[in-house]
Amino acid sequence: MITKEHIRWNIGNIATMTAPSGWEEEAASYVIDEAKDMGRISIGRDPLGSVLISVKGAKRPAKPIVLTAHLDEMGVMVEDITKEGLLKFGVVGNVARRTLLGRVVTVGEWGRMCHGVIGLKPIHLTSQEERKTLPKLENLYIDIGSKGEPQTETMVQRGDPGVFAPEMPEMTEMGNQLHHKAMSRSLSCAVLLELLNMKEQLPVDVTMAFTVQRHVGNRGAYSAAAALDDGIAISLDLCPGDTVGDDLPHLGKGPVVPSMDQKTIFDPELTEKLAAAARACGIPIQRWAKAECDGDGGVFQRSGKGFSAAALYCPAKYTDAPAQNICLEDAENMARLLVAFLEECAE
């Protein structure tokens, strides 16, 4: 049985983890720990570090099925240290510059991480022209409060990763919306863990791929696809949404089943099969022509292994910001739809 309370619990746990692209081990360990005591599964890792969980269902599917989530989150990387001890940095993932100023980050290698604030030179030192334009990334810095370059180098090194710190100590729920950092990772992983947590056996055998390095070109999906047999791949992720207007999918009206995203035209027959499963069970969905995101489905489709790909996206506010809003009912309906879809995939 799908329970949104358990989905919320997993979202909250995963969201607080530190797992930028390339440093996903904390999130990977959590997924493995949650799964290892469950029956009818086997757990492996591919060469790049993605977690592959094979689940024994009640029947065999007509074609092998892969459900994909990702383990990494957007963040920053230290590129240089100024003589004043400030950190010059680049972003990891598609983070909008307009959302960065004043954000708190946690930066450094594990065991010696420290907090800092993304800053800009004081307003009285800027020109009139600079005050009218969005600051360039190279003009921003992270201030960790050190007294100079030598002191900073005892805490942080060039090449160290960083993530956006939670804006509040616990996940915030506002009405029917949840707000936290790394929601793309947290939502997709929590939905798949909910399927693992079900007391009932899944309708068919399925492989769950928790991929790494999604935010730096879907790199983990390439390695995962190479390690798996061809078949069907359903990608879970966020897509831009809102609660007003008609330009974007609406939060609270169901997950999005798109015909394409920024990198992929999904298999029409497979996409319609997802939509038909939703209609048959009365699960609300939003059919959308193009979702403005790029999940892992396209990588599986282009892997040369013969995968048919489709996507199931959760509409979210602020997808290019350090923290996002989703509707918990949309996450619950994603899990319900996946179970309904799997029931249609038996031989």
Side-chain angles (χ1 to χ4, degrees):
M1 180 178 179
I2 303 297
T3 61
K4 65 181 179 181
E5 291 77 15
H6 191 259
I7 294 175
R8 186 192 191 285
W9 181 79
N10 266 319
I11 288 175
N13 285 344
I14 300 168
T16 59
M17 293 176 182
T18 300
S21 301
W23 285 267
E24 296 93 349
E25 198 57 36
E26 184 176 358
S29 296
Y30 179 85
V31 167
I32 291 170
D33 288 344
E34 285 292 300
K36 68 181 180 182
D37 294 330
M38 301 173 185
R40 305 185 302 271
I41 69 169
S42 63
I43 303 172
R45 305 287 294 270
D46 73 11
L48 204 59
S50 297
V51 178
L52 306 176
I53 301 178
S54 298
V55 185
K56 182 65 176 176
K59 298 179 181 180
R60 292 182 58 185
K63 294 181 179 180
I65 300 171
V66 182
L67 306 178
T68 78
H70 67 89
L71 296 168
D72 59 316
E73 64 185 292
M74 298 184 293
V76 299
M77 180 176 287
V78 177
E79 295 182 345
D80 203 1
I81 302 173
T82 71
K83 65 179 186 298
E84 296 84 9
L86 303 172
L87 307 177
K88 305 299 291 183
F89 67 95
V91 295
V92 178
N94 187 29
V95 190
R97 282 184 292 140
R98 67 181 184 277
T99 68
L100 292 176
L101 193 59
R103 293 284 182 175
V104 178
V105 295
T106 304
V107 65
E109 282 285 7
W110 275 246
R112 55 180 178 82
M113 301 191 80
C114 56
H115 290 297
V117 179
I118 296 178
L120 182 68
K121 63 182 178 181
I123 187 70
H124 67 278
L125 297 180
T126 59
S127 66
Q128 287 286 349
E129 195 60 35
E130 286 177 316
R131 296 173 197 176
K132 298 177 183 178
T133 59
L134 184 67
K136 295 181 179 180
L137 190 61
E138 56 264 30
N139 293 331
L140 300 176
Y141 56 77
I142 299 172
D143 185 351
I144 63 172
S146 73
K147 297 180 179 179
E149 184 177 2
Q151 185 181 32
T152 296
E153 288 179 335
T154 65
M155 299 181 285
V156 180
Q157 300 296 316
R158 293 162 180 85
D160 279 354
V163 298
F164 299 101
E167 295 184 340
M168 302 173 189
E170 296 183 358
M171 182 169 52
T172 304
E173 187 165 357
M174 298 170 287
N176 66 344
Q177 293 184 36
L178 302 179
H179 174 80
H180 213 300
K181 77 174 182 75
M183 194 64 83
S184 173
R185 183 241 341 257
S186 307
L187 177 282
S188 60
C189 289
V191 168
L192 292 192
L193 288 176
E194 182 64 14
L195 299 192
L196 284 177
N197 186 65
M198 290 174 55
K199 293 181 180 179
E200 304 88 352
Q201 191 174 11
L202 288 178
V204 294
D205 302 343
V206 67
T207 297
M208 298 181 182
F210 296 83
T211 62
V212 297
Q213 299 188 35
R214 148 75 175 84
H215 287 294
V216 287
N218 309 86
R219 296 173 187 175
Y222 287 96
S223 183
L228 298 171
D229 294 330
D230 65 330
I232 290 170
I234 308 293
S235 173
L236 276 62
D237 216 313
L238 299 185
C239 70
D242 211 329
T243 51
V244 297
D246 297 318
D247 295 333
L248 292 171
H250 279 225
L251 275 67
K253 291 191 175 181
V256 174
V257 179
S259 295
M260 64 184 296
D261 66 10
Q262 291 174 334
K263 293 183 178 178
T264 317
I265 297 177
F266 297 111
D267 183 277
E269 183 178 343
L270 183 57
T271 299
E272 176 53 31
K273 192 171 183 177
L274 266 176
R279 290 194 297 267
C281 296
I283 299 170
I285 61 169
Q286 301 178 74
R287 289 301 306 269
W288 211 257
K290 182 180 180 181
E292 295 298 330
C293 59
D294 56 345
D296 283 339
V299 172
F300 280 84
Q301 186 187 68
R302 298 191 299 274
S303 66
K305 300 288 288 289
F307 280 100
S308 299
L312 190 58
Y313 293 148
C314 183
K317 290 182 178 180
Y318 323 122
T319 53
D320 61 353
Q324 299 80 36
N325 282 19
I326 67 159
C327 176
L328 185 57
E329 282 72 20
D330 292 335
E332 178 187 17
N333 284 320
M334 287 179 75
R336 291 177 59 213
L337 177 51
L338 287 173
V339 174
F341 171 79
L342 294 177
E343 289 174 349
E344 300 296 322
C345 291
E347 287 185 327

PDB file of all heavy atoms in Angstrom, residues 269-284:
ATOM      1  N   GLU A 269       4.105   4.858 -27.855  1.00  0.00           N
ATOM      2  CA  GLU A 269       3.312   3.723 -27.373  1.00  0.00           C
ATOM      3  C   GLU A 269       3.488   3.541 -25.870  1.00  0.00           C
ATOM      4  O   GLU A 269       2.511   3.309 -25.137  1.00  0.00           O
ATOM      5  CB  GLU A 269       3.727   2.458 -28.119  1.00  0.00           C
ATOM      6  CG  GLU A 269       2.915   1.228 -27.742  1.00  0.00           C
ATOM      7  CD  GLU A 269       3.318   0.010 -28.540  1.00  0.00           C
ATOM      8  OE1 GLU A 269       3.980   0.164 -29.588  1.00  0.00           O
ATOM      9  OE2 GLU A 269       2.971  -1.119 -28.125  1.00  0.00           O
ATOM     10  N   LEU A 270       4.729   3.668 -25.388  1.00  0.00           N
ATOM     11  CA  LEU A 270       4.995   3.513 -23.965  1.00  0.00           C
ATOM     12  C   LEU A 270       4.379   4.663 -23.167  1.00  0.00           C
ATOM     13  O   LEU A 270       3.810   4.461 -22.080  1.00  0.00           O
ATOM     14  CB  LEU A 270       6.508   3.452 -23.726  1.00  0.00           C
ATOM     15  CG  LEU A 270       6.988   3.218 -22.303  1.00  0.00           C
ATOM     16  CD1 LEU A 270       6.420   1.926 -21.731  1.00  0.00           C
ATOM     17  CD2 LEU A 270       8.521   3.195 -22.266  1.00  0.00           C
ATOM     18  N   THR A 271       4.462   5.872 -23.702  1.00  0.00           N
ATOM     19  CA  THR A 271       3.866   7.029 -23.044  1.00  0.00           C
ATOM     20  C   THR A 271       2.359   6.874 -22.916  1.00  0.00           C
ATOM     21  O   THR A 271       1.763   7.157 -21.874  1.00  0.00           O
ATOM     22  CB  THR A 271       4.216   8.310 -23.824  1.00  0.00           C
ATOM     23  OG1 THR A 271       5.638   8.478 -23.841  1.00  0.00           O
ATOM     24  CG2 THR A 271       3.596   9.534 -23.184  1.00  0.00           C
ATOM     25  N   GLU A 272       1.726   6.401 -23.987  1.00  0.00           N
ATOM     26  CA  GLU A 272       0.279   6.182 -23.943  1.00  0.00           C
ATOM     27  C   GLU A 272      -0.081   5.062 -22.972  1.00  0.00           C
ATOM     28  O   GLU A 272      -1.129   5.111 -22.317  1.00  0.00           O
ATOM     29  CB  GLU A 272      -0.249   5.859 -25.339  1.00  0.00           C
ATOM     30  CG  GLU A 272      -1.734   5.521 -25.406  1.00  0.00           C
ATOM     31  CD  GLU A 272      -2.632   6.568 -24.774  1.00  0.00           C
ATOM     32  OE1 GLU A 272      -2.276   7.771 -24.796  1.00  0.00           O
ATOM     33  OE2 GLU A 272      -3.701   6.193 -24.264  1.00  0.00           O
ATOM     34  N   LYS A 273       0.778   4.072 -22.843  1.00  0.00           N
ATOM     35  CA  LYS A 273       0.517   2.991 -21.891  1.00  0.00           C
ATOM     36  C   LYS A 273       0.524   3.512 -20.454  1.00  0.00           C
ATOM     37  O   LYS A 273      -0.290   3.107 -19.626  1.00  0.00           O
ATOM     38  CB  LYS A 273       1.548   1.881 -22.065  1.00  0.00           C
ATOM     39  CG  LYS A 273       1.205   0.589 -21.328  1.00  0.00           C
ATOM     40  CD  LYS A 273       2.157  -0.530 -21.721  1.00  0.00           C
ATOM     41  CE  LYS A 273       1.771  -1.839 -21.045  1.00  0.00           C
ATOM     42  NZ  LYS A 273       2.643  -2.961 -21.472  1.00  0.00           N
ATOM     43  N   LEU A 274       1.436   4.436 -20.154  1.00  0.00           N
ATOM     44  CA  LEU A 274       1.442   5.086 -18.839  1.00  0.00           C
ATOM     45  C   LEU A 274       0.142   5.856 -18.619  1.00  0.00           C
ATOM     46  O   LEU A 274      -0.489   5.761 -17.560  1.00  0.00           O
ATOM     47  CB  LEU A 274       2.631   6.051 -18.730  1.00  0.00           C
ATOM     48  CG  LEU A 274       3.930   5.582 -18.109  1.00  0.00           C
ATOM     49  CD1 LEU A 274       4.974   6.697 -18.218  1.00  0.00           C
ATOM     50  CD2 LEU A 274       3.749   5.170 -16.661  1.00  0.00           C
ATOM     51  N   ALA A 275      -0.246   6.640 -19.620  1.00  0.00           N
ATOM     52  CA  ALA A 275      -1.457   7.446 -19.495  1.00  0.00           C
ATOM     53  C   ALA A 275      -2.697   6.562 -19.365  1.00  0.00           C
ATOM     54  O   ALA A 275      -3.610   6.863 -18.589  1.00  0.00           O
ATOM     55  CB  ALA A 275      -1.587   8.378 -20.699  1.00  0.00           C
ATOM     56  N   ALA A 276      -2.739   5.459 -20.117  1.00  0.00           N
ATOM     57  CA  ALA A 276      -3.888   4.560 -20.054  1.00  0.00           C
ATOM     58  C   ALA A 276      -3.993   3.899 -18.681  1.00  0.00           C
ATOM     59  O   ALA A 276      -5.106   3.712 -18.159  1.00  0.00           O
ATOM     60  CB  ALA A 276      -3.772   3.498 -21.146  1.00  0.00           C
ATOM     61  N   ALA A 277      -2.860   3.556 -18.086  1.00  0.00           N
ATOM     62  CA  ALA A 277      -2.876   2.968 -16.744  1.00  0.00           C
ATOM     63  C   ALA A 277      -3.427   3.962 -15.738  1.00  0.00           C
ATOM     64  O   ALA A 277      -4.171   3.592 -14.816  1.00  0.00           O
ATOM     65  CB  ALA A 277      -1.464   2.532 -16.353  1.00  0.00           C
ATOM     66  N   ALA A 278      -3.092   5.248 -15.910  1.00  0.00           N
ATOM     67  CA  ALA A 278      -3.622   6.282 -15.022  1.00  0.00           C
ATOM     68  C   ALA A 278      -5.130   6.409 -15.183  1.00  0.00           C
ATOM     69  O   ALA A 278      -5.875   6.474 -14.197  1.00  0.00           O
ATOM     70  CB  ALA A 278      -2.934   7.615 -15.304  1.00  0.00           C
ATOM     71  N   ARG A 279      -5.600   6.431 -16.420  1.00  0.00           N
ATOM     72  CA  ARG A 279      -7.042   6.564 -16.659  1.00  0.00           C
ATOM     73  C   ARG A 279      -7.815   5.381 -16.084  1.00  0.00           C
ATOM     74  O   ARG A 279      -8.879   5.549 -15.482  1.00  0.00           O
ATOM     75  CB  ARG A 279      -7.313   6.682 -18.157  1.00  0.00           C
ATOM     76  CG  ARG A 279      -6.851   7.989 -18.779  1.00  0.00           C
ATOM     77  CD  ARG A 279      -7.439   8.174 -20.168  1.00  0.00           C
ATOM     78  NE  ARG A 279      -6.990   7.133 -21.090  1.00  0.00           N
ATOM     79  CZ  ARG A 279      -5.932   7.237 -21.890  1.00  0.00           C
ATOM     80  NH1 ARG A 279      -5.183   8.340 -21.851  1.00  0.00           N
ATOM     81  NH2 ARG A 279      -5.603   6.277 -22.708  1.00  0.00           N
ATOM     82  N   ALA A 280      -7.262   4.191 -16.250  1.00  0.00           N
ATOM     83  CA  ALA A 280      -7.959   2.996 -15.787  1.00  0.00           C
ATOM     84  C   ALA A 280      -8.110   2.974 -14.269  1.00  0.00           C
ATOM     85  O   ALA A 280      -9.076   2.406 -13.743  1.00  0.00           O
ATOM     86  CB  ALA A 280      -7.206   1.745 -16.258  1.00  0.00           C
ATOM     87  N   CYS A 281      -7.181   3.587 -13.555  1.00  0.00           N
ATOM     88  CA  CYS A 281      -7.209   3.572 -12.093  1.00  0.00           C
ATOM     89  C   CYS A 281      -7.690   4.887 -11.495  1.00  0.00           C
ATOM     90  O   CYS A 281      -7.669   5.053 -10.270  1.00  0.00           O
ATOM     91  CB  CYS A 281      -5.822   3.230 -11.554  1.00  0.00           C
ATOM     92  SG  CYS A 281      -5.237   1.589 -11.990  1.00  0.00           S
ATOM     93  N   GLY A 282      -8.068   5.831 -12.331  1.00  0.00           N
ATOM     94  CA  GLY A 282      -8.535   7.117 -11.825  1.00  0.00           C
ATOM     95  C   GLY A 282      -7.452   7.954 -11.179  1.00  0.00           C
ATOM     96  O   GLY A 282      -7.729   8.752 -10.272  1.00  0.00           O
ATOM     97  N   ILE A 283      -6.215   7.798 -11.638  1.00  0.00           N
ATOM     98  CA  ILE A 283      -5.088   8.558 -11.084  1.00  0.00           C
ATOM     99  C   ILE A 283      -4.919   9.836 -11.902  1.00  0.00           C
ATOM    100  O   ILE A 283      -4.762   9.772 -13.131  1.00  0.00           O
ATOM    101  CB  ILE A 283      -3.793   7.731 -11.125  1.00  0.00           C
ATOM    102  CG1 ILE A 283      -3.948   6.463 -10.294  1.00  0.00           C
ATOM    103  CG2 ILE A 283      -2.600   8.557 -10.624  1.00  0.00           C
ATOM    104  CD1 ILE A 283      -2.813   5.473 -10.474  1.00  0.00           C
ATOM    105  N   PRO A 284      -4.951  11.005 -11.272  1.00  0.00           N
ATOM    106  CA  PRO A 284      -4.808  12.248 -12.049  1.00  0.00           C
ATOM    107  C   PRO A 284      -3.402  12.398 -12.609  1.00  0.00           C
ATOM    108  O   PRO A 284      -2.411  12.161 -11.917  1.00  0.00           O
ATOM    109  CB  PRO A 284      -5.104  13.344 -11.017  1.00  0.00           C
ATOM    110  CG  PRO A 284      -4.768  12.722  -9.696  1.00  0.00           C
ATOM    111  CD  PRO A 284      -5.113  11.270  -9.817  1.00  0.00           C
TER     112      PRO A 284
END
